Amino acid sequence: MKSLIISLMAMLFLPSALCAQVGFGTSQLFNDSWLFSLTDEAGYKESAYKDSGWRTLSLPHDWSVEGTPSRELASCTGFLPGGIGWYRKHFDSSMKTDDKLYIYFEGVYNRSEVYLNGHLLGKRPNGYISFMYDLTPYLVNGDNVLAVRVDHSKYADSRWYTGSGIYRDVWLVNAPETHLAQWGVSYWAKNVSKQKADLDVTVEVDKGKASNLSVKVSLLDADGKQVATAQTTASDIKNSSANNQLSVANCQLSINQALHLWSTDTPYLYKLKVELLSAGKVIDKTESPIGIRSLRFDPDHGFYLNDQQMKVKGVCIHHDAGVLGAAVPREVWKRRFLSLKQMGVNGIRMSHNVQAPDVYELADEMGFLIMDEGSDEWEFPKRKWIEGWNRGTPGYDGTFDFFEEWIDRDIADMVRRDRLHPSIFLWSVGNEVDYPNDPYSHPVLDGGNAAISQPMYGGYKKDAPNAERIGIIAKRLAKIIRSLDPSRPVTGAMAGVVMSNQTEYPEAVDVCGYNYTEGRYIEDHKAYPKRIIYGSETSTNLAAWKAVRDNEHIFGHFVWTGYEYLGESGAWPSRGLGTGLIDFSGFLKPRGWYFASLWRTDPMVYAGTQAVRNNNFGGFGGNNNNNRGGRVNLSTDAMDSWNYQDGQTVRVLCYTNQPYAQVKVNGNIVGEKKERDDQNGIIYWDVPYAAGTLTVEGIDASGKVTATYDVKTYGEAARIATRIEGEAADRVKHLLIEVVDANGNRVLNARQDVTVEVISGGRLLGLENANNGDMSAPKQNHRNANRGRLLAYVERANPSTPAKVKITAEGMPAVEVSL
């Protein structure tokens, strides 16, 4: 069948190397000039429908975050709406060759239906899975209309914010009729050492009508130099399907030279080049960055990366970014990952779904170990809180209704799409599917089981789904994963380990994740000596980390959460749960600095303060502290403020990884050198306040000052200061806006309403103040400063033309910035 070459406007900021993650053909972003309507009519799918009145926009797009939060909506969504929306895209085409044309969606939330010229191409209910359709059979000369229906009318279908719409990139993929299969390349590094390695490479081919096929595989280093190569002959390619459309080639590459191994400290990437040949001529090819590394898990000694024992210092993350909702640009992900590096993080858990391709690519490049996760809900619904987290009467909308029909394919597509990424070291079949009585139950829930840390909602419920189902489903999903990737272990995040121990679930997976169940680490290691255990989800406290640090058999944990996320909110007003180590703007919160003191290996120190209670003074500086019964309560949430009243006693709290620290005010020592207390990980002093500069110094064992942290007294708000973060070529710019005093110090009690207007050359994507209680519309162009700071996300329209931004606030001179 003849196919089409599409005539499209050139995409802005499209480097030559940019391509979709499909693994074949030639890709082009297809994000511009879509039409959108947040209404629903059957006729919208027809090419003749008149859509001239629809809104024009560029993808990615999340319509939920464009709404206004309402206390009448559900707390699990961050009080933001859902609905049903349609997207339409017109494009011209002309007959050209025998090539084929595909449309590739990285993610559409959710229950999508895709039509071309009125013909249904397919449906995909899972909002996180990437998928592709063949456009070729229904393309016409002239105007073509692609229409996408997105049904998120069951908007409270998740325990956290999901977003709504085509919230990830869309691509056109042009390829010959015979081409490499979608996500058809995989590899397994074996016998890995610093001197050599063997790579087993599997290549799947959509055969079409071409004959005399062969596959050539080459490994290139970071400089483009060929390290190894191998080629099959036609006889090496064997049919793997009855209809003769899919074939498989297996190649072995032996590398006998010094290797750059991928690790979290040195994330070196090679390039795997795969070429499909017909009669010796290249007809399709793909190039993928890969890393060579080895993984080993031991029930007694934990985890080894490249035969080096290590602890995974991980965090859980969701897929939104505050005011940006679920449509998160790559530059924003990168900045957030840099904040994780600043904290000493080396592992990330994708909670609890497949994330955007950008996330995995950045993890490969920056050096994070990834736990990739399939779902949060299986065949029955979980509680979805409507009035506030764990408050009131829950709802029971969800994604369970399409589980049985789609889960096998969803899990397979997760593995097939992401298995080239060296960052991924665990595949998870699901999260908290064994939550006691939510929905499964078991007789073990009767009686006092203090080891179950999650709410049990009563004892055993004989009419609830039987917990034995968990093991049965886990075995089924694990089998699918292993058939597609035998190189990584399968895991699951268990919330009710006591209940799961009565099922086949722990034996169905290779590695067992324990959620908030550190108390069973030692007990279960003794009871199940062959079980590999880690903390798949833990609290932000020292005890959770010590349970990892002090037990060799526990290889790591993932703290809930890396950064603040929308949904799972408390009672109104609340955008999210508030447990993040990093705020909505991407800055470390005090508890983030506290974890940096536990995880970082380079010298660091942080200073926070609190007013000491009952000294008849007020002051801005975080939660007041109280000495109860002679016991000093030390907070991990002490803000870095130094504005009190003269002579007031202030508690200075230091989070550091150095053995000692001391305190200075205006260069004078006011807090003598003290030793870090491993019982709480905090050094503190009670000192008299004096305006100026508070300095905390971290000191090593030899007495040398290795790290400092300054906190300055601020005065009255005087002006707006700005700073541009990121790289010069970034399409999306981070513009930091601060309310400062006459000396340039950020005014932490500033609450001015700040307006940001993009005058030319771009558009404002969002204005973030990191205030969890701010329930104003996320997409408005003005917002109250929070602790004297806002972050503006500005998307430039053209790489050669700067965007011009005007910033105004009452009582202050206007500021113009060129990005």
Side-chain angles (χ1 to χ4, degrees):
M1 178 178 179
K2 288 188 176 180
S3 165
L4 309 165
I5 297 296
I6 305 301
S7 302
L8 299 167
M9 292 180 64
M11 302 301 295
L12 298 178
F13 291 89
L14 187 63
S16 59
L18 191 61
C19 62
Q21 200 190 34
V22 293
F24 72 93
T26 303
S27 305
Q28 182 179 20
L29 271 174
F30 205 51
N31 286 344
D32 279 358
S33 303
W34 285 78
L35 303 173
F36 174 71
S37 177
L38 193 54
T39 55
D40 183 32
E41 290 185 15
Y44 291 172
K45 67 178 182 290
E46 304 297 338
S47 57
Y49 177 78
K50 302 300 182 184
D51 53 19
S52 57
W54 284 25
R55 171 188 171 190
T56 301
L57 53 77
S58 294
L59 304 178
H61 173 243
D62 173 6
W63 80 66
S64 286
V65 81
E66 294 178 340
T68 300
S70 168
R71 66 170 65 237
E72 304 303 317
L73 297 172
S75 59
C76 58
T77 71
F79 300 97
L80 287 164
I84 299 176
W86 280 81
Y87 297 84
R88 285 169 60 90
K89 168 88 170 177
H90 293 259
F91 58 95
D92 293 330
S93 61
S94 58
M95 288 291 187
K96 186 70 175 178
T97 70
D98 290 331
D99 284 359
K100 302 186 75 173
L101 195 73
Y102 301 86
I103 188 78
Y104 178 67
F105 294 89
E106 290 185 359
V108 182
Y109 204 92
N110 64 349
R111 302 175 190 269
S112 65
E113 303 171 9
V114 181
Y115 301 86
L116 178 62
N117 298 324
H119 299 278
L120 177 66
L121 300 179
K123 300 180 180 182
R124 198 63 185 255
N126 190 317
Y128 299 111
I129 294 294
S130 300
F131 56 93
M132 183 180 74
Y133 299 125
D134 185 358
L135 299 178
T136 313
Y138 304 113
L139 286 166
V140 298
N141 284 314
D143 185 47
N144 288 267
V145 180
L146 192 68
V148 182
R149 183 179 189 265
V150 185
D151 183 356
H152 197 199
S153 53
K154 297 181 179 180
Y155 78 102
D157 61 350
S158 175
R159 297 192 291 159
W160 59 88
Y161 179 83
T162 62
S164 303
I166 308 178
Y167 68 104
R168 295 180 186 163
D169 286 331
V170 179
W171 302 79
L172 278 181
V173 183
N174 185 267
E177 183 184 21
T178 299
H179 57 77
L180 299 168
Q182 178 186 0
W183 307 325
V185 177
S186 63
Y187 74 103
W188 185 358
K190 299 180 178 180
N191 306 316
V192 175
S193 71
K194 293 181 180 179
Q195 289 75 39
K196 66 176 184 177
D198 296 321
L199 262 62
D200 285 354
V201 182
T202 300
V203 180
E204 298 176 3
V205 178
D206 279 343
K207 285 189 67 175
K209 297 177 182 178
S211 59
N212 194 15
L213 296 175
S214 61
V215 170
K216 181 180 180 181
V217 177
S218 304
L219 185 69
L220 312 177
D221 66 16
D223 296 322
K225 180 182 177 181
Q226 182 173 289
V227 176
T229 187
Q231 184 168 342
T232 68
T233 61
S235 59
D236 294 325
I237 299 180
K238 301 176 182 179
N239 288 331
S240 62
S241 62
N243 61 11
N244 203 39
Q245 290 303 301
L246 184 66
S247 295
V248 177
N250 294 301
C251 296
Q252 287 75 43
L253 298 180
S254 292
I255 309 162
N256 296 300
Q257 63 181 62
L259 286 173
H260 301 279
L261 299 183
W262 186 95
S263 71
T264 55
D265 293 327
T266 57
Y268 188 93
L269 295 175
Y270 289 88
K271 185 171 290 183
L272 186 65
K273 181 178 179 180
V274 178
E275 296 172 295
L276 176 63
L277 300 90
S278 176
K281 180 182 179 182
V282 176
I283 60 173
D284 195 15
K285 64 180 179 179
T286 184
E287 294 183 357
S288 307
I290 67 167
I292 299 176
R293 70 340 177 226
S294 66
L295 309 174
R296 179 158 59 91
F297 295 81
D298 185 278
D300 296 316
H301 306 292
F303 170 63
Y304 294 77
L305 178 64
N306 301 324
D307 285 328
Q308 297 294 314
Q309 189 182 42
M310 65 176 289
K311 296 289 188 181
V312 175
K313 305 167 184 176
V315 295
C316 303
I317 66 170
H318 276 309
H319 74 296
D320 72 273
V323 295
L324 298 179
V328 185
R330 185 185 182 96
E331 295 90 341
V332 176
W333 278 118
K334 183 174 182 178
R335 182 173 176 272
R336 289 186 162 211
F337 277 17
L338 288 171
S339 294
L340 292 181
K341 283 288 184 182
Q342 182 185 19
M343 202 162 56
V345 172
N346 62 18
I348 298 173
R349 177 186 176 206
M350 303 305 187
S351 42
H352 307 285
N353 47 262
V354 177
Q355 303 264 2
D358 280 341
V359 179
Y360 302 89
E361 292 168 7
L362 287 169
D364 292 342
E365 296 168 9
M366 300 176 70
F368 291 99
L369 290 165
I370 298 296
M371 173 182 167
D372 213 4
E373 195 154 62
S375 64
D376 183 59
E377 188 170 83
W378 282 1
E379 56 186 347
F380 299 101
K382 290 182 178 181
R383 291 171 171 82
K384 315 298 188 311
W385 298 106
I386 308 301
E387 303 167 51
W389 186 65
N390 282 349
R391 291 170 59 100
T393 303
Y396 287 94
D397 282 340
T399 57
F400 62 93
D401 56 311
F402 57 78
F403 175 85
E404 188 59 37
E405 180 182 358
W406 285 95
I407 189 59
D408 289 8
R409 183 173 176 184
D410 287 346
I411 286 290
D413 283 355
M414 173 185 77
V415 176
R416 286 175 57 81
R417 194 198 75 170
D418 293 342
R419 60 190 170 180
L420 286 174
H421 294 288
S423 54
I424 294 176
F425 80 130
L426 288 170
W427 299 114
S428 171
V429 296
N431 171 64
E432 295 189 346
V433 294
D434 62 339
Y435 204 109
N437 288 318
D438 193 18
Y440 297 97
S441 194
H442 190 279
V444 75
L445 298 180
D446 275 340
N449 277 292
I452 300 179
S453 58
Q454 305 284 23
M456 294 195 339
Y457 308 112
Y460 173 52
K461 300 182 185 301
K462 63 180 181 180
D463 295 328
N466 190 328
E468 295 290 344
R469 292 283 303 155
I470 301 172
I472 294 170
I473 295 172
K475 285 178 16 179
R476 166 183 155 195
L477 301 184
K479 182 178 179 180
I480 294 170
I481 293 172
R482 294 183 186 115
S483 72
L484 295 168
D485 179 24
S487 71
R488 300 172 177 93
V490 179
T491 188
M494 301 174 186
V497 178
V498 172
M499 185 173 76
S500 285
N501 283 343
Q502 307 301 312
T503 75
E504 296 180 291
Y505 187 13
E507 285 68 43
V509 297
D510 306 302
V511 179
C512 291
Y514 282 30
N515 282 15
Y516 307 102
T517 321
E518 297 93 304
R520 296 195 66 89
Y521 285 171
I522 296 176
E523 178 183 351
D524 278 14
H525 181 53
K526 293 177 180 178
Y528 312 100
K530 294 183 179 180
R531 181 178 296 180
I532 301 168
I533 303 172
Y534 69 103
S536 42
E537 189 170 317
T538 64
S539 300
T540 56
N541 57 50
L542 179 59
W545 170 242
K546 283 186 174 181
V548 175
R549 186 195 69 182
D550 299 339
N551 288 292
E552 186 179 9
H553 70 286
I554 304 298
F555 68 75
H557 72 164
F558 295 90
V559 173
W560 191 263
T561 57
Y563 19 80
E564 300 287 25
Y565 60 97
L566 297 175
E568 218 166 16
S569 305
W572 177 279
S574 174
R575 290 201 281 165
L577 189 58
T579 59
L581 301 175
I582 299 172
D583 68 23
F584 280 117
S585 295
F587 292 101
L588 268 62
K589 296 165 60 177
R591 65 181 62 179
W593 285 105
Y594 180 73
F595 265 82
S597 74
L598 305 179
W599 286 349
R600 273 173 54 173
T601 55
D602 61 310
M604 62 76 55
V605 67
Y606 168 85
T609 66
Q610 295 175 330
V612 176
R613 186 174 291 180
N614 297 328
N615 63 359
N616 298 319
F617 287 101
F620 179 93
N623 297 326
N624 284 347
N625 189 50
N626 190 11
N627 301 346
R628 298 176 182 171
R631 178 172 60 89
V632 177
N633 298 313
L634 301 178
S635 173
T636 58
D637 291 316
M639 293 291 189
D640 54 349
S641 173
W642 191 238
N643 273 64
Y644 296 90
Q645 296 183 28
D646 286 340
Q648 181 177 1
T649 300
V650 179
R651 180 153 294 160
V652 178
L653 298 101
C654 169
Y655 314 149
T656 184
N657 57 7
Q658 298 301 284
Y660 306 97
Q662 66 185 12
V663 179
K664 293 180 179 178
V665 173
N666 299 323
N668 301 312
I669 295 176
V670 297
E672 73 283 2
K673 185 173 76 171
K674 282 188 177 182
E675 186 174 4
R676 184 179 182 275
D677 183 358
D678 192 54
Q679 293 301 309
N680 51 45
I682 299 174
I683 307 172
Y684 80 96
W685 305 259
D686 290 345
V687 303
Y689 172 75
T693 300
L694 170 75
T695 302
V696 175
E697 298 176 333
I699 302 172
D700 67 14
S702 70
K704 179 183 177 181
V705 174
T706 55
T708 61
Y709 195 97
D710 290 338
V711 187
K712 296 184 178 182
T713 302
Y714 58 82
E716 296 294 324
R719 60 185 176 87
I720 295 293
T722 62
R723 184 173 78 243
I724 303 169
E725 298 185 349
E727 301 176 6
D730 284 348
R731 177 177 56 92
V732 175
K733 292 291 194 177
H734 292 81
L735 176 61
L736 184 64
I737 302 166
E738 294 183 335
V739 180
V740 300
D741 64 14
N743 295 319
N745 300 313
R746 179 160 58 101
V747 180
L748 300 186
N749 64 358
R751 298 291 185 269
Q752 278 90 343
D753 188 71
V754 178
T755 298
V756 176
E757 179 186 2
V758 179
I759 302 171
S760 64
R763 61 174 178 143
L764 179 67
L765 298 182
L767 188 60
E768 180 60 72
N769 65 4
N771 180 1
N772 189 53
D774 187 342
M775 307 306 289
S776 56
K779 289 297 185 178
Q780 63 189 22
N781 73 337
H782 65 95
R783 212 168 195 86
N784 289 332
N786 178 38
R787 300 195 80 232
R789 183 162 62 192
L790 297 119
L791 181 68
Y793 301 102
V794 178
E795 181 181 56
R796 291 194 295 164
N798 191 301
S800 61
T801 305
K804 296 188 180 299
V805 178
K806 183 178 181 180
I807 305 164
T808 57
E810 186 176 355
M812 296 184 183
V815 174
E816 290 194 9
V817 181
S818 180
L819 303 178

